[in-house]
Amino acid sequence: MNTSTNSNADHRLICTVDVVLLTLRDAQLQVLLIKREREPFAGALALPGGYVHASVDQDCADAARRVLHDKAGLPSPYLEQLASFSGPARDPRGWSVSVAYVALVAAPQAPQPGQHWLPVDELPQLPFDHGRIVANAVDRVRNKSQYSSLPVHLCAEPFTLPQLHGIYEALLGEPINAVSFRRKMDELGMLEPVPGAKLAQGPHRPAQLYRLRDEYRRTLSLAGRGLNA
Amino acid sequence: MNTSTNSNADHRLICTVDVVLLTLRDAQLQVLLIKREREPFAGALALPGGYVHASVDQDCADAARRVLHDKAGLPSPYLEQLASFSGPARDPRGWSVSVAYVALVAAPQAPQPGQHWLPVDELPQLPFDHGRIVANAVDRVRNKSQYSSLPVHLCAEPFTLPQLHGIYEALLGEPINAVSFRRKMDELGMLEPVPGAKLAQGPHRPAQLYRLRDEYRRTLSLAGRGLNA
DNA sequence: ACAATAGTGTCTCTAAGACAATATACG
DNA sequence: CGTATATTGTCTTAGAGACACTATTGT
């Protein structure tokens, strides 16, 4: 191979995005995996991902949204950059960089053919370094749930405080004091009651429904000292 | 241009690393900028950065260490991935992805020719999107300083608690209760006194010198609820 | 009215801040 | 000894958890 080929291979790299789309089903954090149609690893379950297309994507986040739309059939849920993963061995096609994103959705629509929701704690071996990426994403989400409003993106609006409480508990895997929880949600100031709307769940007092304030739809609200779960 | 060129340009992208090397000088957080020798932006001050070399780098962190060594003449200080920045416009050479890193050093050796330490709060316009990258890095460092041992990497070992205290205060820009600070450092459990070593600074009681425990040389220690500065 | 869950009031306990007391060096 | 900073002891105060009480619905 000649020098120019070499320097080209050296400077222009395989560049992909991978999306860790998480949701809460059966009180478990689950991740969307897609059956790969092409090599490498055709037939295996893997994260939705794909090449970054310089000609169509404005940036990597844009590529992630495109992948999410094309492979998961989703509009734009909460999306946050996780980290980049790189190296010569992670993709058999060669030295590559993958910019990984975490996305959260509330309503896990019935999976289309080829889509699978699997609990993050019971994953099989995944191709590429997707196992590591998922683990990284789960760490981030669990950690951030301790002191931010992140989990609201796992909850379909409008929702009640007891529902949100349950989501925090499922994520953190431990009980959270209900009084403190209400105090925290209150001081985070990100929720507003839906006037008059209550949710009756049985022969007892119905719960007030809340929605996210518009200001917090793209921004998280951070608590001073966590939920101390 | 033909299809294969097109798809090549589309799938193989310009991939660089940029390093935000920070230190504390004159009680100010400062960043290392390098006078660029080549186009684009030759002559301008910019972050040390460069292409990722598939043939020599094991991953992007490796590329960042190489850049740091070549352009800043530094061994491997504390290094942490910050985020990736991408898009068609950030680099005039074309659609690019840059994986940015934050690095921290204690002793700001006298800058070599072409190297400049500038306070992060008084930066000129920087080329590429380096202004944004620095701002992002500074946010991260200041934020993480609130609840972790990160700032010890800005302190030459061994150091005294009053010195470290001063570093935290300089970073966070507000006074920290000295008693709470000691309690926190104690419970973080990352420091060990250097037996018998004290630092006399004048006609008064000298301070105990400490060093970082080996276990925490690469890992940070996290506090339960921050320093509540 | 009863059962069951939603939401509140308030006491307790933990941990952060304030402040004062003690320790130790150099002169 | 006197001074200046290091270090510790302990009181005060803010916020998290526990627990009991009130509120509101369907039956």
Side-chain angles (χ1 to χ4, degrees), chain A residues 177 179-180 183-184 203-205 228:
Chain A
N177 182 284
V179 178
S180 305
R183 272 194 295 240
K184 272 294 175 199
H204 54 262
R205 178 173 176 175
N228 291 50

PDB file of all heavy atoms in Angstrom, chain A residues 177 179-180 183-184 203-205 228, chain D residues 15-19 23-26:
ATOM      1  N   ASN A 177     -37.759   7.315  50.840  1.00  0.00           N
ATOM      2  CA  ASN A 177     -38.721   7.892  51.763  1.00  0.00           C
ATOM      3  C   ASN A 177     -39.715   8.766  51.009  1.00  0.00           C
ATOM      4  O   ASN A 177     -39.338   9.687  50.297  1.00  0.00           O
ATOM      5  CB  ASN A 177     -37.954   8.718  52.798  1.00  0.00           C
ATOM      6  CG  ASN A 177     -38.882   9.317  53.820  1.00  0.00           C
ATOM      7  OD1 ASN A 177     -39.571  10.280  53.532  1.00  0.00           O
ATOM      8  ND2 ASN A 177     -38.934   8.722  54.987  1.00  0.00           N
ATOM      9  N   VAL A 179     -41.953  10.973  51.994  1.00  0.00           N
ATOM     10  CA  VAL A 179     -42.043  12.383  52.372  1.00  0.00           C
ATOM     11  C   VAL A 179     -40.878  13.167  51.768  1.00  0.00           C
ATOM     12  O   VAL A 179     -41.065  14.221  51.162  1.00  0.00           O
ATOM     13  CB  VAL A 179     -42.048  12.532  53.905  1.00  0.00           C
ATOM     14  CG1 VAL A 179     -42.089  13.997  54.289  1.00  0.00           C
ATOM     15  CG2 VAL A 179     -43.230  11.787  54.496  1.00  0.00           C
ATOM     16  N   SER A 180     -39.672  12.626  51.915  1.00  0.00           N
ATOM     17  CA  SER A 180     -38.508  13.301  51.337  1.00  0.00           C
ATOM     18  C   SER A 180     -38.660  13.410  49.838  1.00  0.00           C
ATOM     19  O   SER A 180     -38.290  14.424  49.230  1.00  0.00           O
ATOM     20  CB  SER A 180     -37.234  12.517  51.639  1.00  0.00           C
ATOM     21  OG  SER A 180     -37.098  12.303  52.998  1.00  0.00           O
ATOM     22  N   ARG A 183     -40.857  16.251  49.026  1.00  0.00           N
ATOM     23  CA  ARG A 183     -40.145  17.504  49.290  1.00  0.00           C
ATOM     24  C   ARG A 183     -39.172  17.808  48.154  1.00  0.00           C
ATOM     25  O   ARG A 183     -39.101  18.938  47.647  1.00  0.00           O
ATOM     26  CB  ARG A 183     -39.367  17.399  50.612  1.00  0.00           C
ATOM     27  CG  ARG A 183     -40.186  17.786  51.844  1.00  0.00           C
ATOM     28  CD  ARG A 183     -39.275  17.998  53.062  1.00  0.00           C
ATOM     29  NE  ARG A 183     -38.599  16.780  53.490  1.00  0.00           N
ATOM     30  CZ  ARG A 183     -38.724  16.223  54.684  1.00  0.00           C
ATOM     31  NH1 ARG A 183     -39.539  16.749  55.590  1.00  0.00           N
ATOM     32  NH2 ARG A 183     -38.061  15.143  54.994  1.00  0.00           N
ATOM     33  N   LYS A 184     -38.403  16.784  47.756  1.00  0.00           N
ATOM     34  CA  LYS A 184     -37.411  16.973  46.699  1.00  0.00           C
ATOM     35  C   LYS A 184     -38.064  17.390  45.389  1.00  0.00           C
ATOM     36  O   LYS A 184     -37.650  18.354  44.742  1.00  0.00           O
ATOM     37  CB  LYS A 184     -36.639  15.666  46.460  1.00  0.00           C
ATOM     38  CG  LYS A 184     -35.429  15.517  47.334  1.00  0.00           C
ATOM     39  CD  LYS A 184     -34.376  16.563  47.014  1.00  0.00           C
ATOM     40  CE  LYS A 184     -33.225  16.466  47.992  1.00  0.00           C
ATOM     41  NZ  LYS A 184     -32.417  17.672  48.046  1.00  0.00           N
ATOM     42  N   PRO A 203     -60.724   2.094  44.932  1.00  0.00           N
ATOM     43  CA  PRO A 203     -61.603   2.663  45.944  1.00  0.00           C
ATOM     44  C   PRO A 203     -60.810   3.413  47.003  1.00  0.00           C
ATOM     45  O   PRO A 203     -60.746   2.975  48.143  1.00  0.00           O
ATOM     46  CB  PRO A 203     -62.294   1.440  46.538  1.00  0.00           C
ATOM     47  CG  PRO A 203     -61.295   0.357  46.378  1.00  0.00           C
ATOM     48  CD  PRO A 203     -60.506   0.659  45.155  1.00  0.00           C
ATOM     49  N   HIS A 204     -60.194   4.482  46.581  1.00  0.00           N
ATOM     50  CA  HIS A 204     -59.438   5.277  47.531  1.00  0.00           C
ATOM     51  C   HIS A 204     -59.154   6.636  46.928  1.00  0.00           C
ATOM     52  O   HIS A 204     -59.496   6.910  45.788  1.00  0.00           O
ATOM     53  CB  HIS A 204     -58.142   4.579  47.907  1.00  0.00           C
ATOM     54  CG  HIS A 204     -57.308   4.210  46.711  1.00  0.00           C
ATOM     55  ND1 HIS A 204     -57.327   2.957  46.164  1.00  0.00           N
ATOM     56  CD2 HIS A 204     -56.484   4.935  45.953  1.00  0.00           C
ATOM     57  CE1 HIS A 204     -56.514   2.937  45.123  1.00  0.00           C
ATOM     58  NE2 HIS A 204     -55.988   4.129  44.974  1.00  0.00           N
ATOM     59  N   ARG A 205     -58.487   7.451  47.679  1.00  0.00           N
ATOM     60  CA  ARG A 205     -58.197   8.805  47.224  1.00  0.00           C
ATOM     61  C   ARG A 205     -57.389   8.792  45.928  1.00  0.00           C
ATOM     62  O   ARG A 205     -56.365   8.124  45.841  1.00  0.00           O
ATOM     63  CB  ARG A 205     -57.403   9.548  48.307  1.00  0.00           C
ATOM     64  CG  ARG A 205     -57.022  10.946  47.905  1.00  0.00           C
ATOM     65  CD  ARG A 205     -56.392  11.659  49.073  1.00  0.00           C
ATOM     66  NE  ARG A 205     -55.935  12.979  48.712  1.00  0.00           N
ATOM     67  CZ  ARG A 205     -55.428  13.846  49.575  1.00  0.00           C
ATOM     68  NH1 ARG A 205     -55.335  13.511  50.854  1.00  0.00           N
ATOM     69  NH2 ARG A 205     -55.039  15.021  49.187  1.00  0.00           N
ATOM     70  N   ASN A 228     -30.614  10.773  48.662  1.00  0.00           N
ATOM     71  CA  ASN A 228     -30.194  10.015  49.843  1.00  0.00           C
ATOM     72  C   ASN A 228     -31.017   8.764  50.022  1.00  0.00           C
ATOM     73  O   ASN A 228     -31.567   8.525  51.083  1.00  0.00           O
ATOM     74  CB  ASN A 228     -30.322  10.890  51.088  1.00  0.00           C
ATOM     75  CG  ASN A 228     -29.303  11.989  51.053  1.00  0.00           C
ATOM     76  OD1 ASN A 228     -29.186  12.687  50.052  1.00  0.00           O
ATOM     77  ND2 ASN A 228     -28.546  12.110  52.093  1.00  0.00           N
TER      78      ASN A 228
ATOM     79  P    DG D  15     -31.975  23.575  54.162  1.00  0.00           P
ATOM     80  OP1  DG D  15     -31.511  24.138  52.870  1.00  0.00           O
ATOM     81  OP2  DG D  15     -33.268  24.014  54.752  1.00  0.00           O
ATOM     82  O5'  DG D  15     -31.996  21.992  54.031  1.00  0.00           O
ATOM     83  C5'  DG D  15     -30.774  21.280  53.860  1.00  0.00           C
ATOM     84  C4'  DG D  15     -31.009  19.820  54.208  1.00  0.00           C
ATOM     85  O4'  DG D  15     -31.169  19.694  55.642  1.00  0.00           O
ATOM     86  C3'  DG D  15     -32.281  19.224  53.600  1.00  0.00           C
ATOM     87  O3'  DG D  15     -32.021  17.884  53.290  1.00  0.00           O
ATOM     88  C2'  DG D  15     -33.267  19.320  54.749  1.00  0.00           C
ATOM     89  C1'  DG D  15     -32.337  18.947  55.880  1.00  0.00           C
ATOM     90  N9   DG D  15     -32.811  19.224  57.223  1.00  0.00           N
ATOM     91  C8   DG D  15     -33.477  20.332  57.693  1.00  0.00           C
ATOM     92  N7   DG D  15     -33.754  20.252  58.965  1.00  0.00           N
ATOM     93  C5   DG D  15     -33.239  19.024  59.351  1.00  0.00           C
ATOM     94  C6   DG D  15     -33.239  18.385  60.611  1.00  0.00           C
ATOM     95  O6   DG D  15     -33.703  18.784  61.677  1.00  0.00           O
ATOM     96  N1   DG D  15     -32.605  17.137  60.560  1.00  0.00           N
ATOM     97  C2   DG D  15     -32.049  16.589  59.435  1.00  0.00           C
ATOM     98  N2   DG D  15     -31.482  15.388  59.561  1.00  0.00           N
ATOM     99  N3   DG D  15     -32.051  17.183  58.251  1.00  0.00           N
ATOM    100  C4   DG D  15     -32.661  18.386  58.291  1.00  0.00           C
ATOM    101  P    DA D  16     -32.787  17.177  52.032  1.00  0.00           P
ATOM    102  OP1  DA D  16     -31.941  17.278  50.850  1.00  0.00           O
ATOM    103  OP2  DA D  16     -34.180  17.695  52.011  1.00  0.00           O
ATOM    104  O5'  DA D  16     -32.844  15.657  52.484  1.00  0.00           O
ATOM    105  C5'  DA D  16     -31.625  14.963  52.746  1.00  0.00           C
ATOM    106  C4'  DA D  16     -31.899  13.808  53.691  1.00  0.00           C
ATOM    107  O4'  DA D  16     -32.230  14.329  54.993  1.00  0.00           O
ATOM    108  C3'  DA D  16     -33.077  12.932  53.263  1.00  0.00           C
ATOM    109  O3'  DA D  16     -32.739  11.563  53.434  1.00  0.00           O
ATOM    110  C2'  DA D  16     -34.203  13.347  54.191  1.00  0.00           C
ATOM    111  C1'  DA D  16     -33.443  13.759  55.444  1.00  0.00           C
ATOM    112  N9   DA D  16     -34.143  14.793  56.206  1.00  0.00           N
ATOM    113  C8   DA D  16     -34.582  16.009  55.754  1.00  0.00           C
ATOM    114  N7   DA D  16     -35.178  16.724  56.674  1.00  0.00           N
ATOM    115  C5   DA D  16     -35.124  15.933  57.809  1.00  0.00           C
ATOM    116  C6   DA D  16     -35.586  16.123  59.117  1.00  0.00           C
ATOM    117  N6   DA D  16     -36.209  17.229  59.526  1.00  0.00           N
ATOM    118  N1   DA D  16     -35.363  15.133  60.004  1.00  0.00           N
ATOM    119  C2   DA D  16     -34.737  14.030  59.597  1.00  0.00           C
ATOM    120  N3   DA D  16     -34.255  13.739  58.395  1.00  0.00           N
ATOM    121  C4   DA D  16     -34.482  14.739  57.535  1.00  0.00           C
ATOM    122  P    DG D  17     -33.831  10.450  53.065  1.00  0.00           P
ATOM    123  OP1  DG D  17     -33.095   9.331  52.444  1.00  0.00           O
ATOM    124  OP2  DG D  17     -34.944  11.094  52.362  1.00  0.00           O
ATOM    125  O5'  DG D  17     -34.347   9.991  54.495  1.00  0.00           O
ATOM    126  C5'  DG D  17     -33.436   9.335  55.378  1.00  0.00           C
ATOM    127  C4'  DG D  17     -34.186   8.829  56.598  1.00  0.00           C
ATOM    128  O4'  DG D  17     -34.711   9.955  57.327  1.00  0.00           O
ATOM    129  C3'  DG D  17     -35.381   7.935  56.287  1.00  0.00           C
ATOM    130  O3'  DG D  17     -35.421   6.884  57.247  1.00  0.00           O
ATOM    131  C2'  DG D  17     -36.575   8.873  56.418  1.00  0.00           C
ATOM    132  C1'  DG D  17     -36.096   9.793  57.536  1.00  0.00           C
ATOM    133  N9   DG D  17     -36.690  11.124  57.525  1.00  0.00           N
ATOM    134  C8   DG D  17     -36.762  12.001  56.468  1.00  0.00           C
ATOM    135  N7   DG D  17     -37.342  13.131  56.776  1.00  0.00           N
ATOM    136  C5   DG D  17     -37.676  12.987  58.109  1.00  0.00           C
ATOM    137  C6   DG D  17     -38.335  13.886  58.991  1.00  0.00           C
ATOM    138  O6   DG D  17     -38.763  15.020  58.754  1.00  0.00           O
ATOM    139  N1   DG D  17     -38.478  13.353  60.271  1.00  0.00           N
ATOM    140  C2   DG D  17     -38.038  12.112  60.651  1.00  0.00           C
ATOM    141  N2   DG D  17     -38.256  11.760  61.906  1.00  0.00           N
ATOM    142  N3   DG D  17     -37.423  11.257  59.836  1.00  0.00           N
ATOM    143  C4   DG D  17     -37.275  11.765  58.590  1.00  0.00           C
ATOM    144  P    DA D  18     -36.615   5.824  57.218  1.00  0.00           P
ATOM    145  OP1  DA D  18     -35.996   4.517  57.479  1.00  0.00           O
ATOM    146  OP2  DA D  18     -37.455   6.027  56.014  1.00  0.00           O
ATOM    147  O5'  DA D  18     -37.478   6.259  58.488  1.00  0.00           O
ATOM    148  C5'  DA D  18     -36.832   6.602  59.714  1.00  0.00           C
ATOM    149  C4'  DA D  18     -37.875   6.673  60.831  1.00  0.00           C
ATOM    150  O4'  DA D  18     -38.465   7.999  60.853  1.00  0.00           O
ATOM    151  C3'  DA D  18     -39.036   5.698  60.699  1.00  0.00           C
ATOM    152  O3'  DA D  18     -39.448   5.321  62.002  1.00  0.00           O
ATOM    153  C2'  DA D  18     -40.103   6.532  59.972  1.00  0.00           C
ATOM    154  C1'  DA D  18     -39.852   7.923  60.551  1.00  0.00           C
ATOM    155  N9   DA D  18     -40.130   9.016  59.621  1.00  0.00           N
ATOM    156  C8   DA D  18     -39.840   9.062  58.284  1.00  0.00           C
ATOM    157  N7   DA D  18     -40.180  10.195  57.699  1.00  0.00           N
ATOM    158  C5   DA D  18     -40.719  10.946  58.733  1.00  0.00           C
ATOM    159  C6   DA D  18     -41.265  12.251  58.765  1.00  0.00           C
ATOM    160  N6   DA D  18     -41.335  13.050  57.701  1.00  0.00           N
ATOM    161  N1   DA D  18     -41.718  12.701  59.946  1.00  0.00           N
ATOM    162  C2   DA D  18     -41.640  11.899  61.027  1.00  0.00           C
ATOM    163  N3   DA D  18     -41.145  10.666  61.112  1.00  0.00           N
ATOM    164  C4   DA D  18     -40.706  10.241  59.918  1.00  0.00           C
ATOM    165  P    DC D  19     -40.551   4.186  62.157  1.00  0.00           P
ATOM    166  OP1  DC D  19     -40.113   3.418  63.342  1.00  0.00           O
ATOM    167  OP2  DC D  19     -40.818   3.520  60.869  1.00  0.00           O
ATOM    168  O5'  DC D  19     -41.838   5.016  62.557  1.00  0.00           O
ATOM    169  C5'  DC D  19     -41.682   6.219  63.320  1.00  0.00           C
ATOM    170  C4'  DC D  19     -43.026   6.903  63.444  1.00  0.00           C
ATOM    171  O4'  DC D  19     -43.110   8.001  62.496  1.00  0.00           O
ATOM    172  C3'  DC D  19     -44.214   5.994  63.139  1.00  0.00           C
ATOM    173  O3'  DC D  19     -45.240   6.308  64.032  1.00  0.00           O
ATOM    174  C2'  DC D  19     -44.572   6.374  61.707  1.00  0.00           C
ATOM    175  C1'  DC D  19     -44.331   7.877  61.799  1.00  0.00           C
ATOM    176  N1   DC D  19     -44.206   8.582  60.499  1.00  0.00           N
ATOM    177  C2   DC D  19     -44.451   9.956  60.462  1.00  0.00           C
ATOM    178  O2   DC D  19     -44.750  10.533  61.505  1.00  0.00           O
ATOM    179  N3   DC D  19     -44.368  10.603  59.275  1.00  0.00           N
ATOM    180  C4   DC D  19     -44.048   9.920  58.167  1.00  0.00           C
ATOM    181  N4   DC D  19     -43.967  10.587  57.027  1.00  0.00           N
ATOM    182  C5   DC D  19     -43.794   8.513  58.195  1.00  0.00           C
ATOM    183  C6   DC D  19     -43.882   7.886  59.375  1.00  0.00           C
ATOM    184  P    DA D  23     -58.503  16.675  57.086  1.00  0.00           P
ATOM    185  OP1  DA D  23     -58.583  18.114  56.733  1.00  0.00           O
ATOM    186  OP2  DA D  23     -59.628  15.975  57.719  1.00  0.00           O
ATOM    187  O5'  DA D  23     -58.106  15.870  55.771  1.00  0.00           O
ATOM    188  C5'  DA D  23     -57.143  16.426  54.903  1.00  0.00           C
ATOM    189  C4'  DA D  23     -57.372  15.890  53.504  1.00  0.00           C
ATOM    190  O4'  DA D  23     -56.962  14.506  53.461  1.00  0.00           O
ATOM    191  C3'  DA D  23     -58.828  15.918  53.042  1.00  0.00           C
ATOM    192  O3'  DA D  23     -58.799  16.329  51.693  1.00  0.00           O
ATOM    193  C2'  DA D  23     -59.298  14.475  53.211  1.00  0.00           C
ATOM    194  C1'  DA D  23     -58.012  13.687  52.978  1.00  0.00           C
ATOM    195  N9   DA D  23     -57.881  12.422  53.702  1.00  0.00           N
ATOM    196  C8   DA D  23     -58.103  12.211  55.036  1.00  0.00           C
ATOM    197  N7   DA D  23     -57.872  10.972  55.417  1.00  0.00           N
ATOM    198  C5   DA D  23     -57.460  10.333  54.256  1.00  0.00           C
ATOM    199  C6   DA D  23     -57.067   9.011  53.987  1.00  0.00           C
ATOM    200  N6   DA D  23     -57.014   8.052  54.929  1.00  0.00           N
ATOM    201  N1   DA D  23     -56.723   8.701  52.713  1.00  0.00           N
ATOM    202  C2   DA D  23     -56.767   9.656  51.785  1.00  0.00           C
ATOM    203  N3   DA D  23     -57.120  10.944  51.919  1.00  0.00           N
ATOM    204  C4   DA D  23     -57.462  11.215  53.185  1.00  0.00           C
ATOM    205  P    DT D  24     -60.095  16.560  50.849  1.00  0.00           P
ATOM    206  OP1  DT D  24     -59.787  17.607  49.861  1.00  0.00           O
ATOM    207  OP2  DT D  24     -61.206  16.683  51.804  1.00  0.00           O
ATOM    208  O5'  DT D  24     -60.275  15.190  50.052  1.00  0.00           O
ATOM    209  C5'  DT D  24     -59.309  14.835  49.072  1.00  0.00           C
ATOM    210  C4'  DT D  24     -59.732  13.525  48.463  1.00  0.00           C
ATOM    211  O4'  DT D  24     -59.504  12.453  49.403  1.00  0.00           O
ATOM    212  C3'  DT D  24     -61.216  13.455  48.088  1.00  0.00           C
ATOM    213  O3'  DT D  24     -61.289  12.840  46.818  1.00  0.00           O
ATOM    214  C2'  DT D  24     -61.811  12.568  49.171  1.00  0.00           C
ATOM    215  C1'  DT D  24     -60.635  11.610  49.381  1.00  0.00           C
ATOM    216  N1   DT D  24     -60.633  10.849  50.649  1.00  0.00           N
ATOM    217  C2   DT D  24     -60.163   9.557  50.611  1.00  0.00           C
ATOM    218  O2   DT D  24     -59.772   9.028  49.603  1.00  0.00           O
ATOM    219  N3   DT D  24     -60.191   8.916  51.824  1.00  0.00           N
ATOM    220  C4   DT D  24     -60.628   9.419  53.034  1.00  0.00           C
ATOM    221  O4   DT D  24     -60.593   8.743  54.054  1.00  0.00           O
ATOM    222  C5   DT D  24     -61.104  10.774  52.995  1.00  0.00           C
ATOM    223  C7   DT D  24     -61.608  11.420  54.238  1.00  0.00           C
ATOM    224  C6   DT D  24     -61.087  11.417  51.815  1.00  0.00           C
ATOM    225  P    DT D  25     -62.308  13.396  45.738  1.00  0.00           P
ATOM    226  OP1  DT D  25     -61.549  13.916  44.612  1.00  0.00           O
ATOM    227  OP2  DT D  25     -63.300  14.232  46.446  1.00  0.00           O
ATOM    228  O5'  DT D  25     -63.046  12.054  45.295  1.00  0.00           O
ATOM    229  C5'  DT D  25     -62.412  11.227  44.339  1.00  0.00           C
ATOM    230  C4'  DT D  25     -62.353   9.784  44.815  1.00  0.00           C
ATOM    231  O4'  DT D  25     -62.118   9.693  46.223  1.00  0.00           O
ATOM    232  C3'  DT D  25     -63.639   8.984  44.654  1.00  0.00           C
ATOM    233  O3'  DT D  25     -63.725   8.503  43.331  1.00  0.00           O
ATOM    234  C2'  DT D  25     -63.445   7.838  45.632  1.00  0.00           C
ATOM    235  C1'  DT D  25     -62.355   8.348  46.571  1.00  0.00           C
ATOM    236  N1   DT D  25     -62.696   8.252  48.009  1.00  0.00           N
ATOM    237  C2   DT D  25     -62.391   7.103  48.677  1.00  0.00           C
ATOM    238  O2   DT D  25     -61.879   6.130  48.158  1.00  0.00           O
ATOM    239  N3   DT D  25     -62.732   7.103  50.017  1.00  0.00           N
ATOM    240  C4   DT D  25     -63.325   8.134  50.717  1.00  0.00           C
ATOM    241  O4   DT D  25     -63.576   8.021  51.907  1.00  0.00           O
ATOM    242  C5   DT D  25     -63.613   9.318  49.942  1.00  0.00           C
ATOM    243  C7   DT D  25     -64.252  10.492  50.608  1.00  0.00           C
ATOM    244  C6   DT D  25     -63.293   9.325  48.640  1.00  0.00           C
ATOM    245  P    DG D  26     -65.038   7.909  42.749  1.00  0.00           P
ATOM    246  OP1  DG D  26     -64.952   7.889  41.274  1.00  0.00           O
ATOM    247  OP2  DG D  26     -66.164   8.593  43.411  1.00  0.00           O
ATOM    248  O5'  DG D  26     -65.001   6.386  43.261  1.00  0.00           O
ATOM    249  C5'  DG D  26     -63.969   5.520  42.781  1.00  0.00           C
ATOM    250  C4'  DG D  26     -64.194   4.123  43.332  1.00  0.00           C
ATOM    251  O4'  DG D  26     -64.123   4.171  44.782  1.00  0.00           O
ATOM    252  C3'  DG D  26     -65.552   3.521  43.002  1.00  0.00           C
ATOM    253  O3'  DG D  26     -65.405   2.115  42.818  1.00  0.00           O
ATOM    254  C2'  DG D  26     -66.396   3.837  44.239  1.00  0.00           C
ATOM    255  C1'  DG D  26     -65.350   3.757  45.349  1.00  0.00           C
ATOM    256  N9   DG D  26     -65.621   4.667  46.456  1.00  0.00           N
ATOM    257  C8   DG D  26     -65.973   5.989  46.389  1.00  0.00           C
ATOM    258  N7   DG D  26     -66.140   6.545  47.557  1.00  0.00           N
ATOM    259  C5   DG D  26     -65.888   5.524  48.457  1.00  0.00           C
ATOM    260  C6   DG D  26     -65.919   5.523  49.875  1.00  0.00           C
ATOM    261  O6   DG D  26     -66.169   6.458  50.623  1.00  0.00           O
ATOM    262  N1   DG D  26     -65.591   4.273  50.388  1.00  0.00           N
ATOM    263  C2   DG D  26     -65.290   3.167  49.639  1.00  0.00           C
ATOM    264  N2   DG D  26     -65.010   2.056  50.316  1.00  0.00           N
ATOM    265  N3   DG D  26     -65.262   3.147  48.315  1.00  0.00           N
ATOM    266  C4   DG D  26     -65.573   4.355  47.794  1.00  0.00           C
TER     267       DG D  26
END
